[in-house]
Amino acid sequence: MKASVRICEAQKRHNTEQFGAMGLKSPIVFTDGNGGVKVKHRERLFMAGYLGPAVLCFLIIFAYPLIRTILMSFFVIPGISSPVSEWKFAGLDNYIGMFRNGVFLASLNNIWRIWLIGGALTLAIALFYAVILASGVKGKKFWRSAIYLPNTVNAVALATMWLQYVFQNKFGLLKTLFTSLGWTSLAKINWTSPKYLFWGMLLSYVFGSVGYFMLIFLAGIERIPSDLYESARIDGAGAWVQFTRITFPLIRDVFRTALTLWTIGAVNFFTWAKMFSTRISTITVTPVYFLYDKVFGGSGTASAIDAGGGAAVGVMIAVIVLIVHVAINRLLKEEVYEY
Amino acid sequence: MKKHRRMTLGRVMGALRYVPLVLWVAFWGAALGWILFASFSTTREIFSNNILGSGLHFENYIDSWKNNNVSHYFINSICITGASCALIILISAPASYILAKKTFLGRNLVLNSFVVGMSIPQVMLIIPVYCWFVRANLVGHLITLVILYTTLNIPYTVFFLTSFFATVPSSLAESALIDGCTEGKAMWKIMMPMASPGIITVTIFNFMNIWNEYFIALIFANGNDKIRTLSMGLQNMITSMTYTGDWAGLFASIMIIFTPTFILYLFLSEKIVAGITGGGVKG
């Protein structure tokens, strides 16, 4: 800070030397007829130079690929790097093929359940913990950091922890816990067997996501002024009434944000699916996994690469995000409460 | 009398609030703690429920570090994450400054495009991008990941920093301008230091994301050990260790990956929390 002031000071001296003779303070106010235009032009150049790189990156990595993916989804493309001249127009064939593919339909079924059941569980648990943390518990910062901790762990490490320890059927945490509690039927569950693999995956994903949404809810709740709760308490309102009448209505917008973020996360569900079954399987497949397998050849052979079909899946995923986004905004209309 | 009963009820309720918190922390503490202990045991002890039965086995760590190119994975992750985080700020901060402090035609368009960019699924972008990198013969080079991580994180960073720059008073920079400082210099020497809390917060957030990134690394950097990041390296190690049945080594490698971010988190948890709530909640 000090250094910067010094540099500007030096600049100022330099300018005084240069313009001092003319009795002018700085080049910015230097206007003689069309001089103002010159300054304006320079400012425009400055703005373009500072904003340009970010906008260029956006156009190259977001805007152009987006359009190209949409185009690709209507073509049959022989190889991943085939030039446009080798593309063959296929109309809606890629989309029709996609909806006739059993694996893709399974992926839609899975993603729907992940979104609904996982979302209800995650948001409910996260809200529950946020309310507890906002109620004035001792050591709030510690609890908050502790609950968020799993979110900072590498997903590969976290998924391995669940698969190789928590769900392990010889020395696993759940097995040990349920056995010591005497709940033998629960202890017998083999979480990594095909019957339970999906639920195991969903459970571990929910447990890994709660911290993030807890933080978002907590930030929303903490913005509510405390005198609202005080007057409610004086009027004899209990914890439940306070939650349903004050907290929840006032964090509706935060809830909507959380729901949107959950949707984006759920639709892009991939890492956990890949970790829970290294080879594509209808039990855990999600649309992104399906696309990955189709285009980047996860378990398939190089000749089976289908860039056009993959692009169609990508477009479908984006359309789903868009529809859910619009639906959320319609259903949970913005209601601004002044507080 | 009635008041007294209410007081005790309130106190019981107050104490009950801690039960879910303790349960949650206990679960994660048990899981991570057990893995820590198991990583110092032998595979046989793990399977016979007798962890740490024969003292600490540091060789699990030494072996899994040596038998896999863990040093390589670390260097790759550090280089990629460091370079990307620096480039992101270098590109995003000037743009955010302009978006926060200037009014011009198309400002809202630019800002809104960045917001939309934040919610575009990466799978919508990755196929054409992969084509380019295949044709440019760049798949399997570290630079590919740096380019992608930098560009993909720009929208969020610009969005976050724009709202941050808007809260930084511009009077100091303006007075420097009047004193003859160029606008560029005023931005880098005056506005940037004033915005440093926001820059640090968003960089920590970007760092965590890039350090743990999986999808793009899997596509672009999973060919050989020279380019694998920690995520990919760990996955590779785990696959081979479950194959050879080296469970002690497996838990040791989880701890190798877990420990650095955990230590970082111990020091920076407040900043990380701020990075999430700052940009995530628009309300």
Side-chain angles (χ1 to χ4, degrees), chain A residues 4 8 11-12 15 43 50 58 64 69 80 129 135 138 144-145 148 152 154 160-161 165 257 274, chain B residues 17-18 20 34-35 102 113 124 130-132 179-181 185 188-189 212 214 231 238 265 270 276 280:
Chain A
S4 63
C8 283
Q11 180 88 19
K12 183 176 153 191
N15 286 328
E43 188 177 353
Y50 272 42
F58 179 81
Y64 182 67
T69 303
I80 185 86
Y129 277 109
S135 71
K138 277 187 192 129
R144 189 177 64 176
S145 300
Y148 184 69
T152 64
N154 188 305
T160 313
M161 181 196 98
Y165 173 52
T257 311
K274 178 86 176 133
Chain B
R17 290 178 304 179
Y18 292 92
W34 188 89
I35 287 178
K102 307 275 176 191
S113 333
M124 265 303 269
Y130 186 75
C131 296
W132 294 338
D179 288 348
C181 205
K185 208 171 257 174
W188 289 106
K189 299 278 181 185
N212 291 332
Y214 182 79
S231 299
I238 286 165
Y265 185 67
E270 288 302 303
I276 289 144

Side-chain angles (χ1 to χ4, degrees), chain A:
Chain A
M1 202 49 188
K2 258 180 197 156
S4 63
V5 173
R6 223 177 301 135
I7 285 164
C8 283
E9 210 95 295
Q11 180 88 19
K12 183 176 153 191
R13 227 175 298 131
H14 168 79
N15 286 328
T16 333
E17 277 157 25
Q18 210 176 347
F19 299 96
M22 291 180 272
L24 290 165
K25 265 189 188 159
S26 90
I28 304 287
V29 291
F30 181 77
T31 43
D32 57 347
N34 53 10
V37 178
K38 213 183 251 168
V39 171
K40 214 167 185 189
H41 178 73
R42 201 199 290 164
E43 188 177 353
R44 211 172 280 162
L45 215 64
F46 169 77
M47 279 163 62
Y50 272 42
L51 191 58
V55 172
L56 202 66
C57 284
F58 179 81
L59 291 176
I60 293 174
I61 292 290
F62 286 90
Y64 182 67
L66 189 72
I67 296 164
R68 203 174 158 99
T69 303
I70 295 170
L71 273 180
M72 282 171 102
S73 72
F74 295 107
F75 286 85
V76 170
I77 298 160
I80 185 86
S81 59
S82 314
V84 182
S85 55
E86 287 174 24
W87 295 10
K88 258 182 257 144
F89 185 72
L92 289 173
D93 283 2
N94 284 331
Y95 291 90
I96 294 165
M98 183 168 76
F99 280 103
R100 283 198 184 136
N101 189 316
V103 181
F104 180 73
L105 293 178
S107 80
L108 283 184
N109 184 31
N110 287 341
I111 207 73
W112 159 248
R113 289 186 297 168
I114 290 169
W115 180 77
L116 185 72
I117 302 168
L121 279 174
T122 307
L123 296 184
I125 299 173
L127 192 57
F128 177 63
Y129 277 109
V131 169
I132 289 181
L133 286 181
S135 71
V137 288
K138 277 187 192 129
K140 192 187 94 183
K141 279 186 179 171
F142 165 76
W143 297 115
R144 189 177 64 176
S145 300
I147 294 175
Y148 184 69
L149 172 71
N151 293 65
T152 64
V153 182
N154 188 305
V156 177
L158 207 57
T160 313
M161 181 196 98
W162 283 92
L163 281 168
Q164 306 298 348
Y165 173 52
V166 179
F167 290 149
Q168 227 281 342
N169 58 8
K170 281 204 183 68
F171 52 79
L173 177 67
L174 292 182
K175 166 111 177 157
T176 318
L177 183 73
F178 291 141
T179 312
S180 65
L181 288 171
W183 299 346
T184 38
S185 55
L186 274 171
K188 268 187 210 146
I189 291 177
N190 180 5
W191 290 91
T192 49
S193 68
K195 193 176 166 195
Y196 290 105
L197 190 65
F198 177 81
W199 300 107
M201 177 179 78
L202 190 59
L203 187 71
S204 50
Y205 182 64
V206 166
F207 264 60
S209 310
V210 162
Y212 178 69
F213 291 96
M214 179 273 297
L215 283 186
I216 288 171
F217 285 136
L218 184 60
I221 295 173
E222 280 178 339
R223 275 191 322 202
I224 301 172
S226 56
D227 44 340
L228 282 181
Y229 292 103
E230 253 160 55
S231 59
R233 247 182 312 232
I234 290 165
D235 291 345
W240 177 249
V241 176
Q242 285 177 37
F243 174 74
T244 49
R245 296 289 169 81
I246 303 174
T247 311
F248 197 72
L250 290 183
I251 60 159
R252 253 172 79 110
D253 287 345
V254 179
F255 188 80
R256 205 178 50 170
T257 311
L259 199 55
T260 311
L261 288 168
W262 170 262
T263 307
I264 294 171
V267 172
N268 286 309
F269 196 94
F270 174 71
T271 312
W272 292 82
K274 178 86 176 133
M275 288 306 296
F276 271 69
S277 37
T278 40
R279 291 244 172 81
I280 195 158
S281 108
T282 48
I283 300 167
T284 54
V285 70
T286 60
V288 177
Y289 199 162
F290 182 71
L291 178 144
Y292 170 81
D293 198 67
K294 222 173 169 54
V295 179
F296 304 101
S299 54
T301 49
S303 60
I305 288 171
D306 178 6
V313 178
V315 172
M316 269 317 295
I317 293 169
V319 167
I320 293 172
V321 171
L322 198 71
I323 291 172
V324 175
H325 187 75
V326 170
I328 289 171
N329 280 322
R330 278 277 163 83
L331 292 174
L332 289 170
K333 258 194 203 125
E334 207 158 345
E335 270 177 53
V336 183
Y337 292 97
E338 295 284 341
Y339 63 90

Side-chain angles (χ1 to χ4, degrees), chain B residues 16 115 145 154 175:
Chain B
L16 274 179
V115 173
L145 284 183
I154 283 175
S175 63

